[in-house]
Amino acid sequence: MRRVLSVGVAVILLGASLVPATAQAAVQWGACPANYPAGLECSTLMVPLDYRRPDERQIEIALTRLPSKAPAKRRGVLLVNPGGPGLPGAAVPVVLELPQSVRDSYDVIGFDPRGVGRSTPLTCNLTEAQSAVAAAPPYPLNSADVAKAAEIAKTVARQCTTSETAELLPHITTANTARDMDRIRAALGEPKLSYYGDSYGTYLGAVYTTLFPYRSDRIVLDSALPPEGYDVDALRDQGLGFQERFPDFARFAAADPQRYGLGATPAAVTVKWFQLTKRLDQAPIQGYDGTLFRTIAAFYLRAEFYLKDLAELMHALDTSRPLPTARKAAAVDDRGSFPVGHLAVICGDSRWPTSVRTYQTNVAIDRIRYPLYGAWSANIRPCAYWPAPATAKTRITDRGPSSVLILQNERDPATPLRGAKRLRNALGAKARMVVVDQGGHGAYNPAMNACGNAAVTTFLLTGHRPPRDTFCPAESVAPPA
């Protein structure tokens, strides 16, 4: 999710000079593949693989457009990114469920970042088993488990950095994706770019507005990473986020002990969590081991309407009853690129510790600091065996017009408020921040806090933000059905 200070200004100036203000060719829109949501138009754009050598090898970026249906109200383009990194963004203009007033005001543009989905792909030639653990290793119960994960991580890193697409890896970075975004802007004939980014997409947006401050129009960062992006510290912060979010779930489950059978108080639900995870770590139950269960739980904590699913799953596993029907996630056309695209960015953006002993120590520390989940997010990743980043990391600064709005849930399990506050401070006077008294990951949602939603919609439509950082109180919402 989150580096170099002394060369930050040079990187900013270099980044701004690498991409021309006008593109060589306009985007030609056409039909999308059959599995894409209705209403989208598709195209591609060629961009330099290496922006230091813009006339050499070009790679393809897949684009989508949800065009405004109200030409008289259209004011520009709104580029959107769902985070990850490694997630394709082609379907996001539809999946995001933007208010109609925003859709009328913008052509909403999605794109698969370089190396992902239908853009020029990466490969590590991973087996199915390797793909399952490449970006998410098993939950470590002890130092020996970290050592085992290190061997898997080493193998994955070797396969990625020696594969037939290895020459692309040094160029699959957040800064280069931001430069691709400016190429998209120019190809669309727009003098400025408005943007909505969620999760890792907040760091991408912060890098864009740092590299191109005077081409940034209205920049919305929802559920923000720290200013260093998705690095080892941001990953470990997920242990903190889980710890801060879990009490919401415990209160939810305790409010209906007859239905969920997890306890009549939040404390009892928490005890049940530790009892169940201990059992699952010793032996799987109905196909769930401790790693899979924690992974699913972390996903369910990201949205209020999934709390019921987590409570039902816990109850079924605890009592050996039939498992509830799992919700189906929205279809994503990533062509199996997620693990590789994810690793390429997080490993290529940042330096990670290289000592297995460091990760063993971190796991031991976070097992105590964040006992609900922290040991998992402290475990070793293939980044420990990745080549050093090829270029200096972009330092986020306050340079340029005041054009950023950060929206942040108070109890976000994936990108905790602590990191979002640090990004807010790095952006300085160019940003405002709205904190919402609710849990979950992703705050701009029609089913969530009206105060937070209104702040974003008003900014996108009018350019007006709160005059100062502000707080949205909790709102009562109907419990999940």
Side-chain angles (χ1 to χ4, degrees), residues 18-19 47-48 50-54 114 176 179-180 183:
L18 285 174
V19 181
V47 300
D50 185 349
Y51 277 96
R52 295 167 300 182
R53 300 174 178 84
R114 52 175 52 206
N176 280 337
R179 295 178 181 115
D180 294 343
R183 284 286 177 120

Side-chain angles (χ1 to χ4, degrees), residues 191-192 208-217 399-401 430:
K192 289 188 175 184
Y208 179 83
T209 196
T210 295
L211 295 178
F212 306 102
Y214 298 101
R215 299 178 198 163
S216 300
D217 190 7
R399 175 175 172 262
K430 72 185 296 178

Side-chain angles (χ1 to χ4, degrees), residues 410-472:
E410 192 171 25
R411 298 175 301 283
D412 188 315
T415 54
L417 177 60
R418 177 171 75 181
K421 286 181 175 179
R422 292 185 53 242
L423 178 63
R424 166 68 184 88
N425 290 338
L427 288 167
K430 72 185 296 178
R432 297 287 186 276
M433 184 172 183
V434 176
V435 176
V436 183
D437 182 5
Q438 64 187 8
H441 186 56
Y444 189 47
N445 186 301
M448 298 182 76
N449 187 279
C451 167
N453 286 338
V456 173
T457 300
T458 298
F459 176 52
L460 289 175
L461 295 181
T462 70
H464 297 313
R465 302 171 304 172
R468 60 188 63 85
D469 292 353
T470 190
F471 181 79
C472 289

Side-chain angles (χ1 to χ4, degrees), residues 67-373:
S68 167
K69 302 297 185 184
K73 296 180 180 179
R74 182 191 180 279
R75 65 172 306 275
V77 297
L78 177 68
L79 195 70
V80 292
N81 179 272
L87 292 176
V92 175
V94 172
V95 173
L96 190 56
E97 297 183 352
L98 292 166
Q100 189 60 49
S101 57
V102 175
R103 290 189 176 188
D104 288 344
S105 297
Y106 296 91
D107 290 343
V108 186
I109 308 297
F111 71 109
D112 289 349
R114 52 175 52 206
V116 172
R118 290 183 175 270
S119 294
T120 297
L122 290 167
T123 182
C124 292
N125 299 314
L126 300 179
T127 66
E128 186 175 343
Q130 287 175 324
S131 292
V133 300
Y139 183 85
L141 299 176
N142 48 48
S143 292
D145 285 347
V146 178
K148 291 177 185 176
E151 291 305 310
I152 297 172
K154 187 184 300 183
T155 299
V156 169
R158 182 173 61 248
Q159 288 180 205
C160 289
T161 56
T162 60
S163 75
E164 58 266 35
T165 61
E167 66 171 315
L168 275 66
L169 289 178
H171 309 290
I172 308 297
T173 64
T174 299
N176 280 337
T177 301
R179 295 178 181 115
D180 294 343
M181 288 167 53
D182 204 60
R183 284 286 177 120
I184 295 169
R185 174 203 60 77
L188 294 173
E190 299 290 338
K192 289 188 175 184
L193 183 74
S194 290
Y195 175 82
Y196 170 87
D198 179 54
S199 191
Y200 160 78
T202 63
Y203 178 59
L204 176 59
V207 169
Y208 179 83
T209 196
T210 295
L211 295 178
F212 306 102
Y214 298 101
R215 299 178 198 163
S216 300
D217 190 7
R218 298 170 185 176
I219 308 298
V220 177
L221 309 180
D222 182 350
S223 307
L225 283 171
E228 298 83 16
Y230 198 146
D231 65 1
V232 65
D233 294 323
L235 180 60
R236 290 180 70 185
D237 270 356
Q238 291 183 19
L240 167 65
F242 197 105
Q243 204 78 23
E244 292 178 337
R245 169 63 165 157
F246 189 85
D248 291 342
F249 166 72
R251 285 190 292 271
F252 169 84
D256 197 345
Q258 292 286 88
R259 180 177 182 180
Y260 299 120
L262 301 177
T265 66
V269 174
T270 305
V271 169
K272 180 63 69 176
W273 167 272
F274 286 115
Q275 291 173 342
L276 179 58
T277 52
K278 184 176 181 179
R279 289 172 58 196
L280 293 170
D281 288 335
Q282 293 171 344
I285 300 174
Q286 300 192 69
Y288 280 80
D289 61 10
T291 298
L292 178 59
F293 173 68
R294 289 181 179 90
T295 302
I296 297 297
F299 171 75
Y300 283 157
L301 288 181
R302 292 187 172 207
E304 211 66 23
F305 51 82
Y306 285 142
L307 298 185
K308 175 184 75 73
D309 299 77
L310 177 54
E312 290 177 346
L313 176 61
M314 284 186 66
H315 184 50
L317 293 174
D318 185 52
T319 59
S320 297
R321 297 186 181 187
L323 294 174
T325 302
R327 291 182 188 252
K328 289 185 177 180
V332 174
D333 183 18
D334 70 349
R335 299 187 172 188
S337 64
F338 171 74
V340 183
H342 180 83
L343 290 174
V345 172
I346 69 170
C347 303
D349 270 1
S350 306
R351 288 184 176 273
W352 291 62
T354 59
S355 165
V356 175
R357 185 61 188 164
T358 297
Y359 293 95
Q360 290 171 327
T361 300
N362 290 347
V363 163
I365 291 171
D366 286 4
R367 191 188 311 282
I368 296 171
R369 285 200 305 176
Y370 312 126
L372 290 164
Y373 189 74

